Amino acid sequence: MAASPTPPAWNRETDPFVELISAEAITRRVAELGARITADYAELGAGEDVVVLGVLKGSVIFMADLVRHIALPLTLDFIGVASYGDATVSSGVVQITQDLTRPIEHKHVLVVEDIVDTGHTVHYLMENLATRKPASIKLCSLLHKPERAERQVHIDYLGFTIPNKFVVGYGLDVAQRYRNLPFIGHVAQP
Ligand code: IMP
């Protein structure tokens, strides 16, 4: 039976976004971040594996690419968080919707986020994770919008600083769509 063609999930010509960071630029930056992380954690002793902890769902594509550039023993886990408010106005109220599958006590945790916007989500998450007594905890975020900061957040590994625009692609969504764009775009005004 002939396979029917799959319609593309997005169309560069007609969909309402403008490319901000190309797929090639993302690939280069992710490789750089992976190399830095590898070098920084290289001194860990035997049995001191890194837990790479992805924040669902936005970090999934970034995390999948990043871990293939980290040349160290590591395990993966995920945490789901919901930030109340609409897509563009964060209320600062954050809730865990899906917890880790394993304890992180005495583990070296690298949290992987898609974007630090107001900073409320990451601030809450880092405080929550710290109470679980990891050996260390660091943050890697693909994007940072400093103009929107309401909380001071230290980002150990940052992909790109971006202007105050709502962005989609490479894991980031608007109303759950466009996570599968291979580049990062901002939503154009109609
Ligand atoms: P916060 O404002 O730093 O707490 O960010 C909360 C969450 O809002 C992020 O983890 C993203 O999932 C989402 N978010 C913030 N800015 C954008 C954006 O420009 N595009 C898509 N999602 C965003």
Side-chain angles (χ1 to χ4, degrees):
M1 195 170 70
S4 57
T6 307
W10 50 275
N11 181 328
R12 202 183 274 264
E13 306 307 322
T14 59
D15 276 342
F17 44 72
V18 177
E19 183 172 299
L20 194 65
I21 307 172
S22 69
E24 295 73 23
I26 295 170
T27 301
R28 275 196 304 275
R29 190 71 184 128
V30 170
E32 286 169 10
L33 291 174
R36 270 184 51 208
I37 292 166
T38 303
D40 289 356
Y41 285 88
E43 302 302 316
L44 292 185
E48 283 195 294
D49 291 3
V50 179
V51 181
V52 180
L53 202 168
V55 184
L56 294 170
K57 304 171 192 163
S59 74
V60 164
I61 292 172
F62 173 42
M63 179 175 173
D65 285 343
L66 179 69
V67 292
R68 283 177 282 179
H69 289 281
I70 303 177
L72 297 168
L74 56 81
T75 62
L76 304 183
D77 209 342
F78 296 93
I79 193 161
V81 289
S83 173
Y84 290 99
D86 66 32
T88 52
V89 184
S90 172
S91 65
V93 179
V94 182
Q95 191 189 17
I96 291 181
T97 54
Q98 181 179 319
D99 210 347
L100 304 176
T101 57
R102 308 186 74 166
I104 53 169
E105 191 170 1
H106 307 314
K107 306 276 187 194
H108 295 277
V109 175
L110 178 64
V111 176
V112 178
E113 249 294 25
D114 54 354
I115 185 164
V116 176
D117 185 31
T118 63
H120 288 299
T121 303
V122 156
H123 177 84
Y124 171 83
L125 198 56
M126 299 302 268
E127 284 207 332
N128 179 292
L129 294 172
T131 65
R132 307 181 195 203
K133 304 196 171 16
S136 70
I137 181 161
K138 285 188 177 183
L139 175 64
C140 177
S141 181
L142 177 67
L143 303 174
H144 183 211
K145 267 189 227 172
E147 286 169 52
R148 295 253 306 161
E150 292 176 11
R151 288 275 192 180
Q152 279 310 310
V153 171
H154 177 70
I155 305 173
D156 297 278
Y157 305 99
L158 174 62
F160 303 92
T161 297
I162 61 167
N164 185 8
K165 290 179 186 292
F166 195 82
V167 292
V168 293
Y170 199 67
L172 291 107
D173 72 305
V174 57
Q176 300 299 324
R177 293 186 68 202
Y178 298 128
R179 293 193 197 274
N180 56 334
L181 296 183
F183 56 90
I184 290 168
H186 68 80
V187 180
Q189 299 305 320

